[in-house]
Amino acid sequence: MDAAEMADVLHISSPSLYTLRYRLRKRLALKPDESLENYIKGLGSDSEA
């Protein structure tokens, strides 16, 4: 799903979506080269290990 589709589903503007993603990355202390998507996908696998 691209950013425009996500924004539409969440009923927010695209700039608001980018702001939310920025703030989430900041709270999670992700480095610029770390993928937010991979981080989220990895959350489920940590509990199974």
Side-chain angles (χ1 to χ4, degrees), residues 9-27:
V9 168
L10 296 171
H11 304 289
I12 60 175
S13 66
S14 291
S16 294
L17 178 66
Y18 290 116
T19 301
L20 289 171
R21 290 180 64 176
Y22 168 80
R23 290 177 179 166
L24 180 59
R25 291 179 59 83
K26 188 174 179 181
R27 287 181 186 145

